[in-house]
Amino acid sequence: NFESTRYVAEASASVGASLLHLSSTSVYGSQSKIVDEECTIEDLNPQSPYAETKLREEDWLRLNSKKLGLKFVTCRFGTIAGISQGMRFHTAVNKFCWQACLGLPITVWSTALHQKRPYLDISDSSAVIQHIIQKNLFNSSVYNVLTANHTVNEIIDMIKIVYPNLEIKFVDAPIMNQLSYEVSSERIFKTGFKSAGSINSSIKETLSLLGSRKPT
């Protein structure tokens, strides 16, 4: 991820193109209160190699953009939820939907049920990209982009609307990103962007698409 970001940044600068850099809200890690982009580097607490790499990408762009003559913006996306042609099933919402549709118990880390995380409806992710291009917001800023903060339990309750007899299996896994954090997206809202997505709606659409059995 890091080398790809560097190559694309250098290529963008060489042709005078602006760069929209996608980072992740996972760079925040565990926090005792709601956090925003003013959080200092010292206060950031990434809990996984992925999050550490995203933070390294941000640092590199901040340190090298002027030398390259590169205009860029960084968006820290929440965990994506919703249907796309290239959707993945290793992150919370889509994984839970996949398990529910297969009639499998939802596997939840034993410490995670009431932890809060930022989630992003995929329609909001494409809308914010369009907004940034139209507003020419390539101003070296960092913007949190999310639809809502939810606990894992709240996500499960949304799935239970369709699958009320859903089973939960608690597991212990050597995963680093097990901590709770809540993120503010006020900075991007102040530019005129409005979140129109819904995690609940994205879950219903995903379950409808993937459903291989009738709801019980």
Side-chain angles (χ1 to χ4, degrees):
N1 276 346
F2 176 80
E3 291 301 324
S4 296
T5 297
R6 183 170 65 85
Y7 291 149
V8 172
E10 291 172 345
S12 298
S14 71
V15 297
S18 300
L19 174 68
L20 199 159
H21 171 235
L22 296 185
S23 185
S24 169
T25 53
S26 62
V27 300
Y28 291 109
S30 179
Q31 302 289 336
S32 60
K33 59 183 179 180
I34 191 166
V35 289
D36 59 24
E37 300 87 347
E38 297 299 323
C39 185
T40 66
I41 293 295
E42 292 75 19
D43 290 332
L44 294 174
N45 190 25
Q47 298 293 309
S48 69
Y50 173 77
E52 291 173 355
T53 299
K54 284 301 178 183
L55 195 56
R56 186 180 169 208
E57 292 171 15
E58 292 184 18
D59 290 341
W60 189 90
L61 286 170
R62 184 172 57 254
L63 293 173
N64 292 279
S65 58
K66 288 185 178 180
K67 179 176 65 177
L68 292 172
L70 174 68
K71 291 183 178 181
F72 79 97
V73 64
T74 290
C75 289
R76 291 173 176 166
F77 274 13
T79 299
I80 294 287
I83 296 170
S84 72
Q85 290 183 333
M87 65 191 299
R88 306 284 293 277
F89 297 96
H90 66 288
T91 53
V93 177
N94 289 350
K95 178 184 177 182
F96 291 167
C97 289
W98 177 265
Q99 291 173 321
C101 289
L102 290 177
L104 301 173
I106 286 183
T107 52
V108 178
W109 300 318
S110 55
T111 59
L113 190 61
H114 299 291
Q115 291 174 354
K116 188 166 282 191
R117 303 280 176 78
Y119 296 95
L120 177 62
D121 186 315
I122 197 165
S123 64
D124 281 339
S125 71
S126 57
V128 79
I129 291 172
Q130 182 178 8
H131 173 77
I132 287 170
I133 293 171
Q134 290 177 339
K135 295 288 186 179
N136 194 27
L137 292 178
F138 298 95
N139 53 12
S140 305
S141 290
V142 174
Y143 294 102
N144 294 331
V145 184
L146 60 142
T147 302
N149 294 285
H150 288 294
T151 64
V152 173
N153 195 48
E154 288 170 345
I155 297 296
I156 292 174
D157 283 344
M158 295 177 196
I159 299 174
K160 282 185 173 179
I161 294 174
V162 180
Y163 293 101
N165 295 329
L166 192 68
E167 294 182 32
I168 301 174
K169 179 181 179 181
F170 291 101
V171 297
D172 292 315
I175 188 74
M176 280 69 71
N177 191 15
Q178 295 191 50
L179 304 176
S180 182
Y181 54 97
E182 186 174 2
V183 177
S184 169
S185 53
E186 283 303 309
R187 176 180 286 182
I188 191 65
F189 290 160
K190 289 180 180 178
T191 69
F193 177 71
K194 296 181 180 179
S195 171
S198 162
I199 302 303
N200 190 33
S201 295
S202 71
I203 285 174
K204 289 180 179 178
E205 291 169 359
T206 303
L207 292 174
S208 177
L209 176 69
L210 298 179
S212 58
R213 65 187 178 99
K214 294 182 180 179
T216 57

